[in-house]
Amino acid sequence: ARLFDRHTRACRLTDAGIALLPSAQRLVADWDHLVADARDFTRFARGRVAVAAPNAQCALLLPPVIRRFRESHPGVRVVLHDVPEHEVHALVRSGAADLGIATQTDARSDLLATPLNADEFIAVMAPSHPTAARRSLEWAQIAREDVIGYLPGNPVRRLLEEKLAERGIVLNYTFEIALPWTMMGLAREGLGVAVVTMALRPLAQWHGLEVRTVGRPQFARTMTLLRAPGNSMSP
């Protein structure tokens, strides 16, 4: 269809051009919006990032990180999945989470893992507990106490038990708990020594509990940042 009538001094739309002009204008506007949206994503002016992490990391580690990120990129929506640690891998693998935070293990995985930090094991107890009189503790001493620990099969507990087994030490778990808040509540009442990691130190201090290092050198777990190798990462 002829859209223009061109002359030496003028160029006018034909009837077909006049009819198609609104559609052409919408196409140009859509293209401009497409380019602007793409630029927004690359400048972090908009977008979405989903992170899956264990409950404790979601409560204590990530909030200040998210606050700083939001201050720099207020248009980007952050979605946080606070889940038991064994669910983190599945969320990253399925694409429901772009990134995950979990304990490094020797188990083979299809996910890409980048080390983040070392998280040392510590002992937490009420100020009135006999072990609070010591500035530091050994694992053999902890083994003689009633221990408040994670559930069997928990990656943190499994890692600790493997390291203690190398020294022939077995802990006496009086309470096996899923959530760290419950562990702190039991320790506050003097019902045992909670064996947790340094990530929970702020929570222990909020409860007025004593925190002690255990062993030399200290056992530690490595926290890793997980992502799926086949998924395209957002900018």
Side-chain angles (χ1 to χ4, degrees):
R2 186 180 183 88
L3 303 181
F4 301 95
D5 282 331
R6 298 179 184 274
H7 306 284
T8 54
R9 295 185 180 181
C11 179
R12 295 187 178 89
L13 287 169
T14 63
D15 289 344
I18 293 172
L20 293 175
L21 180 59
S23 296
Q25 289 172 328
R26 284 195 299 271
L27 285 171
V28 172
D30 287 345
W31 178 258
D32 289 341
H33 285 308
L34 176 64
V35 173
D37 286 349
R39 287 175 176 163
D40 282 348
F41 277 106
T42 57
R43 291 195 301 255
F44 303 123
R46 59 180 296 186
R48 174 184 179 277
V49 60
V51 182
N55 309 103
Q57 276 67 35
C58 283
L60 303 171
L61 172 69
L62 288 178
V65 177
I66 294 173
R67 175 183 53 79
R68 291 195 296 269
F69 181 81
R70 290 284 298 276
E71 288 172 353
S72 301
H73 311 295
V76 179
R77 182 187 176 209
V78 179
V79 178
L80 194 58
H81 298 281
D82 55 337
V83 296
E85 185 161 345
H86 67 272
E87 296 182 15
V88 171
H89 290 75
L91 287 171
V92 175
R93 191 174 288 111
S94 69
D98 301 300
L99 302 170
I101 296 177
T103 303
Q104 185 180 64
T105 67
D106 293 332
R108 296 186 64 180
S109 173
D110 57 325
L111 300 178
L112 301 177
T114 304
L116 280 178
N117 67 297
D119 190 18
E120 296 88 358
F121 285 93
I122 56 175
V124 175
M125 71 288 296
S128 59
H129 196 278
T131 55
R134 301 177 181 271
R135 297 186 62 180
S136 63
L137 295 167
E138 297 297 329
W139 286 110
Q141 295 169 324
I142 297 294
R144 294 193 291 268
E145 302 293 336
D146 292 332
V147 171
I148 303 165
Y150 294 100
L151 291 172
N154 178 282
V156 182
R157 174 171 168 174
R158 186 165 59 243
L159 175 65
L160 177 62
E161 289 179 338
E162 290 172 357
K163 291 181 176 294
L164 290 176
E166 296 173 359
R167 301 188 179 188
I169 297 175
V170 178
L171 299 183
N172 174 34
Y173 287 96
T174 303
F175 294 98
E176 298 173 319
I177 305 299
L179 296 177
W181 344 109
T182 307
M183 298 170 71
M184 297 303 162
L186 294 169
R188 186 184 60 223
E189 298 304 318
L191 296 173
V193 175
V195 176
V196 294
T197 62
M198 192 65 76
L200 293 179
R201 183 175 183 175
L203 181 62
Q205 293 173 332
W206 293 339
H207 280 270
L209 299 173
E210 296 291 327
V211 177
R212 296 291 182 268
T213 58
V214 186
R216 295 194 185 96
Q218 286 182 263
F219 293 151
R221 63 168 174 169
T222 299
M223 299 303 297
T224 59
L225 185 70
L226 303 175
R227 65 184 181 90
N231 294 348
S232 176
M233 296 292 291
S234 73

